């Protein structure tokens, strides 16, 4: 603490303002506050003026849209806010910091996409020209459809593919070649109606089991007969006991 105190004591104190400088700083601060207050009042007056112009525009049944003069971004923001509260549609057009302005429409006369596109290009919107352009656009669309239909007309081939591949598919193909299949022994394919054995799978299995059983019984009988014959031979070959 002693070291810190000595360091702080050795440091030079910040320069103090004299009375003239204090008065100058106070005057600058007062000027800034006065300018800010004036700007606020100016914006309030501008808002009231815009509200009055919007009200007169809404009351006029002959007007569908209203174009404001070129203004800065702060004032355009106020115009958009006032028009939105009044139930209008508004857009800004032009180049920033050059000729950008606000235009608003009544809800029942909201602008179309073509109208907005014209204003964005810096062009004036002419409804009659727009109707002619839309009509021409529809004519061009119909003409394009007609040209497309002409291009998709059925093309008749010069030769028939059946003649070219006759050695592979024969004289008949597709639906013409669809008919009842016949027996083909070389490939082992026989229609069911041409088969001799028409038993079901269950019948075939039952007959197979019966044959196996009969074969097993025959084998057992043969083995038993062989054993009996061998026993008789052995008995006959043995000498009689005294």
């Amino acid at each position: 603490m002693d070291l810190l105190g000595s360091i702080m004591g050795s440091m030079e104190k910040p320069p103090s303002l004299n009375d003239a400088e204090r008065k100058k700083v106070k005057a600058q601060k007062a000027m800034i506050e006065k300018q800010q207050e004036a700007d606020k009042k100016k914006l309030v007056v501008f808002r009231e003026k815009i509200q009055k112009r919007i009200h007169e525009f809404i009351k006029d049944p002959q007007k569908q849209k209203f174009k404001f003069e070129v203004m800065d971004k702060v004032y355009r923001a106020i115009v958009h806010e006032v028009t939105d509260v009044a139930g209008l549609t508004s857009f800004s057009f032009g180049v920033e910091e050059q000729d950008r302005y606000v235009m608003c429409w009544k809800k029942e006369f909201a602008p179309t996409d073509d109208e907005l596109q014209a204003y964005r290009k810096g062009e004036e919107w002419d409804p009659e020209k727009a109707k002619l352009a839309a009509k021409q656009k529809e004519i061009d669309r119909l003409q394009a459809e007609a040209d497309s239909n002409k291009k998709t007309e059925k093309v008749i081939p010069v030769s028939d593919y059946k003649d070219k591949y006759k050695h592979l598919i024969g004289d008949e193909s597709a639906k013409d070649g669809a008919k009842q299949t016949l027996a083909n022994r070389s490939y082992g394919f026989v229609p069911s109606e041409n088969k001799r054995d028409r038993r079901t799978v269950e019948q075939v299995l039952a007959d197979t089991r019966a044959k196996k059983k009969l074969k097993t019984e025959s084998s057992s009988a043969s083995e038993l007969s062989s054993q009996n014959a061998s026993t008789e031979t052995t008995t006959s070959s043995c000498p009689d006991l005294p």
Side-chain angles (χ1 to χ4, degrees):
M1 294 296 294
D2 295 338
L3 178 62
L4 180 61
S6 62
I7 294 173
M8 294 293 292
S10 62
M11 293 177 62
E12 295 182 359
K13 295 181 180 180
S16 58
L17 299 176
N18 53 32
D19 294 340
E21 291 176 343
R22 289 194 187 95
K23 289 181 180 180
K24 186 176 181 180
V25 171
K26 187 175 181 180
Q28 290 177 350
K29 183 178 180 181
M31 186 181 296
I32 292 173
E33 292 177 353
K34 186 177 180 180
Q35 184 64 37
Q36 291 177 348
E37 189 67 25
D39 292 340
K40 288 182 180 179
K41 290 182 180 180
K42 187 176 181 181
L43 294 177
V44 171
V45 173
F46 178 79
R47 179 184 292 272
E48 292 175 353
K49 186 186 297 184
I50 294 298
Q51 289 175 345
K52 184 178 179 181
R53 296 172 69 181
I54 292 295
H55 182 67
E56 293 175 355
F57 165 66
I58 294 175
K59 288 174 60 178
D60 191 348
Q62 301 298 326
K63 293 183 178 180
Q64 301 179 2
K65 58 186 178 181
F66 186 82
K67 180 180 178 181
F68 291 90
E69 63 276 6
V70 177
M71 60 184 68
D72 294 336
K73 186 175 182 180
V74 177
Y75 298 106
R76 292 200 309 271
I78 295 176
V79 174
H80 285 299
E81 183 178 348
V82 174
T83 55
D84 184 62
V85 172
L88 304 178
T89 301
S90 62
F91 292 91
S92 294
F93 305 101
V95 182
E96 189 67 47
E97 298 182 356
Q98 291 185 15
D99 58 352
R100 196 160 180 82
Y101 62 93
V102 178
M103 184 178 290
C104 63
W105 287 263
K106 295 178 180 178
K107 286 291 184 180
E108 59 271 23
F109 302 106
T112 62
D113 294 338
D114 294 336
E115 185 175 357
L116 293 176
Q117 189 66 24
Y119 285 121
R120 290 190 179 103
K121 292 179 179 179
E123 302 173 356
E124 289 295 330
W125 173 253
D126 189 346
E128 297 299 328
K129 290 183 179 180
K131 291 180 180 179
L132 293 175
K135 187 176 180 180
Q136 184 62 38
K137 187 177 180 180
E138 182 65 17
I139 294 173
D140 294 340
R141 186 185 66 82
L142 295 176
Q143 184 64 35
E145 290 182 356
D147 295 341
S148 177
N149 293 332
K150 289 181 180 179
K151 292 179 181 179
T152 57
E153 290 182 355
K154 187 177 180 180
V155 178
I156 301 176
V158 179
S159 61
D160 191 353
Y161 76 96
K162 294 182 180 180
D163 297 335
K164 184 177 181 180
Y165 299 103
K166 184 177 181 181
H167 63 288
L168 296 176
I169 62 176
D171 295 331
E172 297 178 347
S173 63
K175 293 183 179 180
D176 297 334
K179 57 185 179 181
Q180 183 178 359
T181 56
L182 302 176
N184 191 339
R185 294 183 180 180
S186 60
Y187 292 99
F189 178 77
V190 182
S192 59
E193 58 269 14
N194 294 345
K195 293 181 179 179
R196 296 180 181 179
D197 190 356
R198 299 189 179 182
R199 295 176 298 170
T200 62
V201 176
E202 290 79 6
Q203 292 174 347
V204 173
L205 293 175
D207 294 343
T208 303
R209 286 194 292 268
K211 289 181 179 180
K212 288 183 178 180
K213 184 178 181 182
L214 181 61
K215 185 176 181 181
T216 303
E217 292 176 354
S218 300
S219 299
S220 300
S222 300
E223 291 178 0
L224 182 59
S225 300
S226 299
Q227 290 177 0
N228 292 336
S230 177
T231 303
E232 291 176 356
T233 303
T234 304
T235 305
S236 61
S237 62
C238 292
D240 295 335
L241 295 175

